[in-house]
Amino acid sequence: MQINRELLDHVCDIAIAAGQKTLPIYNSHFEVETKDDDSPLTQADLAAHRSIKQALEALTPDIPQLSEEGADIDFATRSTWSTYWLIDPLDGTKEFVNKNDQFTINIALIVDHEPVLGAVYAPVLDTLWFAARPLGAFRQQGQTAAEPIATVLAERDKPRVLVSRSHRTPDIDALLDRLPDYEPVTMGSSLKFCVIADGGADFYPRLGPTSEWDTAAGHAVLACAGGQVTDLDGEPLRYNVTESVLNTHFLAFGDVTHDWRAYVPESAA
């Protein structure tokens, strides 16, 4: 299929529309259910899922979808897909429940196991990050014009390191101990990829479990802005290559001239 600005704009509109459906729920007293994996689920997750699913089916009826809230598609089927939409209707449900505003709507297009288009929308912040190869990466705040974004070189003696609000592991603590010094940046959801993409941080190590829909859209934005998301061997993170939808441990960074793998503790390798 042809990836162009018209397609990207349509996907951005779909992400924004889904995000707007979450706000009335966010601003109310909503119930929280618990899924089989103990992760939280709200009516906002489901409303965004339905909105995105219907809109993408109308836009690209021949392209299959894999969504967190519709993930029961076996690998025998998924393995035949060369192109598909990978969706997290509401990333950062814990952020949503805690009402800290840092949740996002995520839509990515995967082609040959790589994210080539992505839209990440933060409804409360009314900020959209979006990207496609070879168009580049952009950020739009509210109704202002979209601006191109790009990663920056890191301050080697004190890089800005993204630390998850909800997930902290002993391996991450060991990695941080190996840095000469660092400036912690606390952020939730896929916003971590976007902050690196627009130059607001340098390094996001994730040495714990994530699912492919958690990362794909942000990965697309960061890659198009000049950064990378790699496994611990330095290979690009790939999608839909195994039966599991869990990612390997990964490193996301903006400065591709620096060896970020040097900080990974042996316990995580």
Side-chain angles (χ1 to χ4, degrees):
M1 68 175 300
Q2 186 177 10
I3 299 173
N4 53 32
R5 185 58 186 259
E6 182 180 7
L7 176 65
L8 182 57
D9 286 345
H10 279 307
V11 174
C12 289
D13 290 343
I14 291 169
I16 292 171
Q20 293 303 309
K21 290 184 181 299
T22 70
L23 288 175
I25 302 168
Y26 183 72
N27 292 320
S28 70
H29 296 288
F30 53 83
E31 294 185 0
V32 181
E33 300 177 27
T34 302
K35 295 193 286 189
D36 291 342
D37 62 357
D38 291 331
S39 62
L41 175 70
T42 71
Q43 286 302 310
D45 298 76
L46 300 176
H49 166 72
R50 288 190 292 267
S51 177
I52 295 168
K53 182 177 185 292
Q54 293 170 3
L56 287 178
E57 285 175 347
L59 178 65
T60 55
D62 296 330
I63 298 179
Q65 302 177 30
L66 180 64
S67 169
E68 179 176 11
E69 306 311 333
D72 54 345
I73 301 172
D74 60 50
F75 186 60
T77 299
R78 288 190 287 112
S79 63
T80 66
W81 297 350
S82 61
T83 301
Y84 69 102
W85 296 107
L86 183 54
I87 305 151
D88 192 343
L90 197 158
D91 184 44
T93 303
K94 290 182 180 179
E95 321 303 328
F96 186 93
V97 171
N98 292 330
K99 296 200 172 187
N100 66 21
D101 300 347
Q102 294 183 359
F103 66 93
T104 56
I105 313 298
N106 297 264
I107 305 173
L109 182 67
I110 309 297
V111 177
D112 295 332
H113 310 291
E114 297 181 14
V116 299
L117 178 153
V120 177
Y121 180 57
V124 179
L125 307 178
D126 196 15
T127 303
L128 174 74
W129 291 263
F130 59 101
R133 293 195 324 219
L135 303 175
F138 306 87
R139 180 186 63 231
Q140 183 172 8
Q141 174 76 46
Q143 299 301 311
T144 62
E147 297 179 344
I149 57 174
T151 59
V152 298
L153 294 177
E155 185 68 45
R156 303 295 172 81
D157 293 334
K158 195 173 184 179
R160 297 162 298 171
V161 180
L162 283 152
V163 181
S164 175
R165 284 186 181 277
S166 305
H167 306 279
R168 190 72 174 258
T169 66
D171 283 335
I172 285 293
D173 290 334
L175 182 150
L176 296 175
D177 288 341
R178 293 166 68 96
L179 290 164
D181 194 7
Y182 68 95
E183 178 184 340
V185 180
T186 303
M187 189 70 61
S189 73
S190 60
L191 289 174
K192 293 184 280 291
F193 297 97
C194 300
V195 169
I196 299 175
D198 62 22
D202 303 305
F203 184 34
Y204 168 35
R206 185 57 182 258
L207 307 181
T210 57
S211 296
E212 293 183 355
W213 46 72
D214 294 323
T215 60
H219 182 170
V221 171
L222 179 52
C224 289
Q228 292 184 9
V229 183
T230 74
D231 63 22
L232 300 189
D233 293 322
E235 296 298 322
L237 199 65
R238 288 165 60 80
Y239 296 81
N240 200 32
V241 294
T242 67
E243 185 171 355
S244 174
V245 293
L246 293 178
N247 291 314
T248 63
H249 295 174
F250 65 82
L251 308 175
F253 47 89
D255 184 350
V256 299
T257 68
H258 188 54
D259 182 13
W260 299 101
R261 289 186 298 158
Y263 304 119
V264 176
E266 292 182 5
S267 59

